Amino acid sequence: MVTESAVSPKGSKLATRDSITLTINGRRFKFSVGDGTGDVSPAETLTETLRKRLQMTGSKESCGVGACGCCAVIVNGDAVAACMTLTVELDGKNITTIEGLEDATKGLDPIQQAFIDEYAFQCGFCTPGIIMVAKALFMKKAQPTPEEIKEALAGNFCRCISHYTVLRALNKLAGNKNAELSTIVRANDLVQDPIPLAQELYPSPYASGHVCKHSLD
Amino acid sequence: MKYRDIKQPNYRHVGKYSPRKEAKEIVTGKALFLDDFSLPHMLFGRTKRSPYPHAKIVKIDTSAAEALEGVRAVITHKNAPFLAALGWPVHRLVLESRAFHVGDQVAIVAADTLEIADEAVDLIKVEYEQLPAVFTAVDALKEGAPQLYERFPGNLVDPGCPYFQPDGPFWQVKKGDPDKAIAEADYVAEDEISFSKMPCPAAPETPSVIVRFDGNDHYTVWASSQSSHIMKLMMQAYVPGSVIDVNTFNVGGSYGNKQTMLNAAVSAAMLANVTKRPVKIVLSKAESLMTYEVRLGSTIKATMAANKEGIVTAVKGDWLVDVGCVCNSTQGQVGVGLGEAQLVLAKCENWFLDSHIAVTNRQQAGIVRGYGGQELNSCLEKLLCAIMREGNFNPLDIFKKNYVSHGDKYLWRDGRTYRSRSSFFFPEVIQETADRFGWSEKWKGWFKPTSMNGTKARGVGMGVIGNCDIQEDNTEAIVRIIPSLELSNAGGGSSTVIVECDITESGMGQRSNACKVVAEVFNCPYEWVSITDPGSRNNPSNFGLCGSRGTITTGKAVTEAALDAKKKAMELASIKLDRPVDQLDMRDMVIYVRDTPEISISVSKLADRELSIVGYGKHVEKFDCPSCIAVFIEVEVDLETGHTEVLKLAGGTDIGQIIDSKALEMQLHGGIGSACLDTAIFEDCSLDPSTGRLLASSMIDYKWRTFNEIPPYDGFVMESQIDTFMFKALGIGEISGAALASAALMAISNAIGADVKEYPATPAVVLKALGKA
């Protein structure tokens, strides 16, 4: 579940703070706070900081009101809606964005790879947010149940309907059996006593699935 | 012919899953969408919008906005750099002295930052004279109704659109003698049904555009459009004397809805023209929900008749379409809706189905997945339900009997008559999908629940629909075999392939599918084939991915281009190997003698150094291969609260040949989203009754199906190798949800034992049908 903000504004010392330091994807950023040119204003959202200031455009701004999850990033282990989080509230916080998930040596995060393997996106606009919320869940619990996965993603909207393949990818990763929500049956698999392809008679020049004695293989 | 007798090819790539070309970019956040992109010296555009649904601008004062530091241009109807028209036929301007809906454009601003542009918009003072407004098509056509445009007396839009209907307007299905057939029929139903809430497809990425003025009436556009070609075509029509080049990126959802985006695009063009700097306009979510294009409003008043076998014998009536405040070639959608109705009722020989399009003071309606078909079907199928109920027919039998068969004739959106050359197996796929769903066990009769558990009643419904737009619009493509470039001149590297083809990816995977079928033709790894960036200037002509046309039209153009290039390569190899072409074969960019494969040559060595081998292919429009999808739904309705839960969905189709297995699965799933299924369940789209304004101005208000509300989906796919192009496939995504809304209403009616005729079946509607409200 995406929360509106990982940080309570209570007890904030914003009025006296003239700079903030954030760790984003392992790199420290120090920003001056104020209304001067280049300053982070107290009204600047984390989405604006990431997308406009740092050119980290992986997280998307869609609804702007914390409803859709497209902007989700991880702050100190929790998935938050960056569009509803003020950057000045994040002093000292550790932020992970979609750009920070791939490891330079190990490669893609297992969630990212699972999304490719299961085609867990359509247009891909909401995908970074979905992956970050899933990542926060898996960081807390390596093997969440199917219900926990669905509940965690309840704040991520996808209008193309990638839900089935997203859940398939995450359930496989979590080792959940019998969690499949979608089945596609091909009639070709149901044909009883199928007529075997007589490869000599039907040598589709564009079908390499058959192997004949003249094949390069 | 039996299904098992059809030869099923065993392809290397086609039919299997290949990860999308941009898959890694998408999961790592590197995939580029419009708002991730900017140009040097770019300005930001914002729009001043009318708070009234119909008003005359008496006075407009922009002086304070112009004086604000950082503001570069403020444009109103008084100082527009050119007169930009809107609509087909043209009936208004982008900026004029009147406003026609809440949110209509009154002024546009370009500034150094978005914040300055927003502040400038607030500083524009406008004095309006409010005019009477009208919010439904029925009211708009009444005598004495408020008039919107001089061009449309009585608010009635001219039928027909020359681009879609070159032989003349097509807006009626007229044949046989419907009156006689109704008089002689065994069953007759007459009713008025509306599907007129005009829900939003609401793509997560809002309509957005960057326009740069290059001088001499030339503009370069970057847009979140799903079709650079269509956007170019329309913008050039409405920006006088212009030459427009459109570039696109990944598109964050469109569902047919983000194509021309004319208001934003023309506004940005005006601002770019005046400031001589690139201007970006990104609609806010509130702007998108309240002012951008939504589904057509649809009402039919009709009589339907059937014989004792359940074959529909007559349809007589009028389809009234509410297009909101701008009609932009909606006539084409009406043509498709009429066509799809004939596919569903293909055995009917007596028709007089008329249509009328009305303008109203609601936000503009336009293209949304289903393209007129869902809007008409959602009404017409309720009449079919009445017939089936009267005859106590099982809908499964009736849909199978009435749906278009191979050889049946129908009129399509160009007004021409076609005869189906499509599948022989539609009844079989409908039956098999029903069996897998458990229809025979769940169907208990009309208005009879499948089961009851306390206050919870379950019911089932179904629907069938098809589409011929899957072959629409001429398309061309170029395929180039690029030799490996090596400074050493040692040879040995493999050639690669570039597909030059203008299709934009908005989620369907067709850019990758184009590469895939080309890889199949060349019998080479899929990874060796790439596709050019989408854009109208650097690519051959292609209407893009609308109407599920990509599979056949792009598929045919790129495979023919690949075959052409392959033929040339073979001919060159024939000379070099001194063997006739028919003794040669090709694999992994090596051409070899079939009987003595050790005699071979790399394709890289065929053409003169640095030169590629080029092939050209095209598809020419026709409409003779309808698709078909059967959908089934089981719901559970709480009789106390009226709340509906979808328990199960099933969909079945004969796709001809699967190109990509997972992509097809997701196209079937897609029918649940983008204002399809839930237009019958909860997408209520409540309006402010005094202004016609959508009350849901954010995604908190606009209800959406979430991850924990997704029902199980059971898909069934036949592949009968339909004669469309080399790979024998059809497209399906356009209609995968088009019959779900009507099927849902059937299911809810059966669950509660009372006829629900109002979309969507919110708890209030259900309780009203139960006599509890």
Side-chain angles (χ1 to χ4, degrees):
Chain A
M1 180 74 74
V2 183
T3 54
E4 287 194 358
S5 172
V7 184
S8 167
K10 286 179 183 173
S12 167
K13 296 177 181 175
L14 296 181
T16 57
R17 190 177 298 152
D18 58 6
S19 72
I20 52 171
T21 303
L22 283 61
T23 304
I24 303 175
N25 299 331
R27 182 182 160 190
R28 290 179 76 242
F29 291 88
K30 186 175 180 184
F31 300 115
S32 56
V33 176
D35 57 6
T37 304
D39 289 347
V40 169
S41 93
E44 183 169 311
T45 64
L46 180 57
T47 292
E48 290 169 327
T49 303
L50 292 173
R51 291 182 52 81
K52 296 180 181 172
R53 189 176 290 276
L54 300 176
Q55 300 298 306
M56 291 183 186
T57 55
S59 66
K60 305 301 175 194
E61 179 154 24
S62 178
C63 72
V65 291
C68 74
C70 285
C71 62
V73 297
I74 297 174
V75 177
N76 281 12
D78 289 319
V80 305
C83 74
M84 295 293 287
T85 305
L86 295 176
T87 301
V88 292
E89 294 180 334
L90 299 175
D91 187 32
K93 301 296 176 188
N94 200 334
I95 298 159
T96 308
T97 73
I98 188 74
E99 290 91 344
L101 274 198
E102 184 180 6
D103 186 279
T105 51
K106 293 179 188 167
L108 292 177
D109 184 274
I111 294 177
Q112 292 172 311
Q113 188 58 52
F115 270 54
I116 295 177
D117 294 343
E118 297 301 333
Y119 198 166
F121 50 84
Q122 288 202 36
C123 77
F125 194 84
C126 63
T127 308
I130 291 174
I131 289 176
M132 295 314 290
V133 171
K135 180 68 184 174
L137 173 68
F138 276 73
M139 283 163 60
K140 289 189 166 99
K141 188 173 184 184
Q143 294 182 306
T145 66
E147 287 309 311
E148 286 170 335
I149 294 171
K150 280 197 266 187
E151 196 58 33
L153 294 174
N156 290 84
F157 288 159
C158 168
R159 195 66 159 165
C160 301
I161 308 296
S162 64
H163 304 61
Y164 294 98
T165 47
V166 165
L167 294 176
R168 183 181 291 161
L170 296 176
N171 278 314
K172 279 192 178 175
L173 208 56
N176 294 324
K177 311 283 184 202
N178 305 318
E180 188 56 71
L181 273 175
S182 167
T183 54
I184 298 290
V185 171
R186 294 171 78 154
N188 293 355
D189 295 333
L190 301 180
V191 173
Q192 291 180 352
D193 186 23
I195 298 169
L197 264 186
Q199 283 155 3
E200 306 77 23
L201 296 178
Y202 303 108
S204 167
Y206 312 108
S208 66
H210 63 88
V211 178
C212 71
K213 59 183 177 182
H214 303 310
S215 165
L216 280 180
D217 289 333
Chain B
M1 182 173 39
K2 290 181 180 170
Y3 185 71
R4 70 185 293 274
D5 295 335
I6 295 170
K7 187 193 69 160
Q8 296 290 342
N10 185 14
Y11 293 117
R12 178 171 176 175
H13 306 295
V14 169
K16 297 164 186 162
Y17 169 55
S18 313
R20 281 247 298 271
K21 290 284 181 182
E22 63 281 15
K24 190 174 177 191
E25 282 67 35
I26 284 176
V27 302
T28 53
K30 291 174 186 157
L32 201 63
F33 294 82
L34 187 279
D35 199 29
D36 303 335
F37 177 80
S38 58
L39 290 171
H41 314 296
M42 192 176 77
L43 300 173
F44 297 85
R46 279 292 205 209
T47 304
K48 177 81 174 177
R49 298 183 181 278
S50 167
Y52 303 114
H54 197 188
K56 192 182 287 181
I57 298 169
V58 177
K59 192 177 168 189
I60 186 161
D61 179 2
T62 59
S63 55
E66 287 164 3
L68 186 67
E69 190 177 356
V71 171
R72 304 295 171 177
V74 181
I75 299 176
T76 70
H77 67 281
K78 291 181 173 174
N79 63 342
F82 49 81
L83 292 178
L86 269 186
W88 174 264
V90 168
H91 47 279
R92 61 164 297 178
L93 303 173
V94 171
L95 288 171
E96 59 176 272
S97 58
R98 275 168 74 187
F100 296 95
H101 79 287
V102 173
D104 213 342
Q105 302 199 148
V106 171
I108 47 178
V109 171
D112 291 349
T113 69
L114 207 50
E115 292 73 20
I116 296 171
D118 278 332
E119 194 176 341
V121 163
D122 290 341
L123 291 172
I124 297 171
K125 300 281 181 278
V126 188
E127 192 180 311
Y128 298 93
E129 176 193 334
Q130 290 192 60
L131 301 170
V134 60
F135 304 122
T136 71
V138 173
D139 289 344
L141 296 185
K142 285 178 182 166
E143 203 173 324
Q147 295 295 291
L148 270 75
Y149 304 110
E150 283 183 20
R151 181 65 185 76
F152 298 146
N155 299 318
L156 188 62
V157 175
D158 313 22
C161 178
Y163 196 88
F164 293 113
Q165 293 142 11
D167 304 339
F170 167 62
W171 76 100
Q172 301 168 323
V173 184
K174 260 176 111 170
K175 61 179 176 180
D177 186 346
D179 287 327
K180 183 165 175 284
I182 289 167
E184 294 171 353
D186 294 297
Y187 306 105
V188 176
E190 185 178 357
D191 212 339
E192 181 173 330
I193 313 283
S194 281
F195 179 80
S196 54
K197 291 296 178 83
M198 299 169 73
C200 304
E205 178 198 39
T206 59
S208 34
V209 66
I210 300 169
V211 179
R212 186 181 69 200
F213 178 56
D214 299 325
N216 297 324
D217 295 323
H218 188 274
Y219 297 83
T220 303
V221 177
W222 292 261
S224 65
S225 164
Q226 68 168 62
S227 171
S228 53
H229 184 89
I230 294 176
M231 190 168 187
K232 172 186 173 74
L233 192 72
M234 297 295 276
M235 269 191 86
Q236 285 186 172
Y238 296 126
V239 178
S242 64
V243 176
I244 311 270
D245 287 317
V246 181
N247 305 288
T248 58
F249 305 95
N250 294 287
V251 172
S254 174
Y255 327 116
N257 192 232
K258 281 155 55 187
Q259 303 212 34
T260 65
M261 305 181 291
L262 276 175
N263 278 301
V266 173
S267 296
M270 284 185 180
L271 292 166
N273 181 301
V274 169
T275 61
K276 306 292 184 279
R277 289 171 64 176
V279 176
K280 179 189 254 189
I281 294 181
V282 177
L283 262 59
S284 69
K285 191 56 85 175
E287 284 177 304
S288 176
L289 284 169
M290 296 197 297
T291 73
Y292 192 66
E293 298 170 30
V294 291
R295 276 200 185 281
L296 303 175
S298 174
T299 301
I300 61 162
K301 192 172 183 180
T303 305
M304 189 183 286
N307 64 21
K308 61 179 185 306
E309 306 297 325
I311 302 289
V312 173
T313 54
V315 178
K316 183 184 178 187
D318 186 29
W319 179 22
L320 180 55
V321 174
D322 184 345
V323 76
C325 65
V326 177
C327 178
N328 201 354
S329 41
T330 299
Q331 296 91 336
Q333 285 175 269
V334 168
V336 170
L338 295 174
E340 290 187 16
Q342 295 167 79
L343 299 182
V344 176
L345 306 174
K347 314 301 175 186
C348 178
E349 294 178 347
N350 303 286
W351 289 81
F352 182 51
L353 185 53
D354 202 355
S355 70
H356 293 88
I357 303 172
V359 285
T360 64
N361 293 108
R362 289 181 67 174
Q363 73 192 93
Q364 179 183 350
I367 302 169
V368 186
R369 189 178 198 151
Y371 198 66
Q374 176 173 335
E375 289 87 341
L376 179 58
N377 176 272
S378 299
C379 300
L380 210 56
E381 198 173 304
K382 284 303 293 176
L383 269 178
L384 185 59
C385 285
I387 292 268
M388 293 190 282
R389 197 168 71 242
E390 200 186 325
N392 198 26
F393 292 113
N394 185 330
L396 177 61
D397 299 330
I398 300 307
F399 279 112
K400 279 164 57 184
K401 283 181 187 176
N402 283 278
Y403 194 71
V404 69
S405 309
H406 190 102
D408 285 344
K409 285 184 185 175
Y410 50 85
L411 293 161
W412 198 247
R413 59 129 151 111
D414 54 3
R416 295 173 184 165
T417 301
Y418 294 86
R419 188 186 287 275
S420 170
R421 291 193 306 107
S422 196
S423 171
F424 290 93
F425 296 94
F426 288 150
E428 200 168 314
V429 80
I430 296 168
Q431 182 67 52
E432 185 69 27
T433 311
D435 291 346
R436 295 184 55 78
F437 175 77
W439 179 263
S440 61
E441 298 83 46
K442 294 173 192 287
W443 170 258
K444 304 295 183 188
W446 285 98
F447 294 175
K448 290 179 182 165
T450 301
S451 64
M452 291 288 299
N453 182 10
T455 62
K456 304 280 182 71
R458 294 186 176 188
V460 290
M462 67 167 294
V464 176
I465 199 165
N467 183 11
C468 296
D469 271 355
I470 53 178
Q471 297 166 287
E472 69 178 341
D473 303 314
N474 299 341
T475 293
E476 57 187 356
I478 291 168
V479 167
R480 288 193 296 137
I481 305 175
I482 315 282
S484 61
L485 299 179
E486 293 170 51
L487 284 175
S488 68
N489 204 25
S494 276
S495 301
T496 52
V497 179
I498 291 187
V499 181
E500 296 186 6
C501 177
D502 188 10
I503 49 175
T504 302
E505 191 56 74
S506 55
M508 301 82 124
Q510 291 286 25
R511 283 174 59 78
S512 300
N513 281 354
C515 296
K516 186 174 195 165
V517 295
V518 168
E520 194 73 51
V521 170
F522 288 128
N523 198 358
C524 73
Y526 163 70
E527 293 73 22
W528 293 4
V529 184
S530 59
I531 185 167
T532 50
D533 288 341
S536 60
R537 182 169 194 164
N538 299 327
N539 286 299
S541 176
N542 192 325
F543 256 67
L545 303 175
C546 40
S548 288
R549 62 183 294 281
T551 300
I552 296 177
T553 64
T554 294
K556 184 175 180 186
V558 301
T559 48
E560 285 199 351
L563 284 168
D564 190 26
K566 181 176 178 180
K567 179 169 171 276
K568 289 174 181 169
M570 292 292 226
E571 287 167 356
L572 289 168
S574 169
I575 296 166
K576 301 233 177 189
L577 297 177
D578 195 22
R579 291 286 198 286
V581 166
D582 60 7
Q583 290 184 11
L584 303 179
D585 216 336
M586 181 173 177
R587 182 186 175 91
D588 296 347
M589 289 299 161
V590 172
I591 294 177
Y592 59 95
V593 180
R594 198 176 296 117
D595 290 335
T596 44
E598 57 274 18
I599 303 174
S600 65
I601 185 167
S602 164
V603 174
S604 261
K605 294 180 179 172
L606 294 177
D608 292 335
R609 201 167 69 180
E610 309 288 343
L611 300 186
S612 49
I613 300 170
V614 184
Y616 172 82
K618 68 179 178 183
H619 164 84
V620 176
E621 173 176 274
K622 51 188 170 183
F623 298 110
D624 59 1
C625 275
S627 59
C628 168
I629 187 158
V631 292
F632 296 83
I633 177 170
E634 181 174 13
V635 300
E636 183 173 87
V637 185
D638 188 320
L639 302 178
E640 290 293 317
T641 65
H643 177 261
T644 297
E645 183 181 351
V646 181
L647 299 179
K648 185 174 182 178
L649 292 169
T653 185
D654 181 357
I655 201 73
Q657 163 70 50
I658 292 175
I659 302 295
D660 188 284
S661 51
K662 287 185 191 286
L664 171 64
E665 182 182 11
M666 297 232 279
Q667 284 303 296
L668 297 179
H669 296 160
I672 300 169
S674 53
C676 293
L677 166 66
D678 292 321
T679 59
I681 311 281
F682 54 66
E683 289 192 33
D684 193 22
C685 301
S686 297
L687 303 181
D688 177 343
S690 63
T691 65
R693 197 203 86 174
L694 182 68
L695 288 173
S697 62
S698 80
M699 293 316 301
I700 291 174
D701 301 328
Y702 199 95
K703 184 85 171 72
W704 201 314
R705 188 169 288 273
T706 60
F707 270 85
N708 41 12
E709 295 171 304
I710 285 290
Y713 190 97
D714 190 353
F716 177 70
V717 182
M718 296 180 85
E719 295 168 87
S720 74
Q721 305 296 314
I722 299 166
D723 183 20
T724 48
F725 73 110
M726 185 172 159
F727 291 108
K728 314 290 185 192
L730 302 182
I732 198 65
E734 178 82 20
I735 55 159
S736 58
L740 268 177
S742 57
L745 240 53
M746 187 197 293
I748 294 168
S749 299
N750 290 333
I752 70 168
D755 199 5
V756 178
K757 295 200 290 188
E758 196 176 329
Y759 291 96
T762 58
V765 169
V766 169
L767 292 176
K768 191 170 82 178
L770 285 167
K772 292 183 176 177

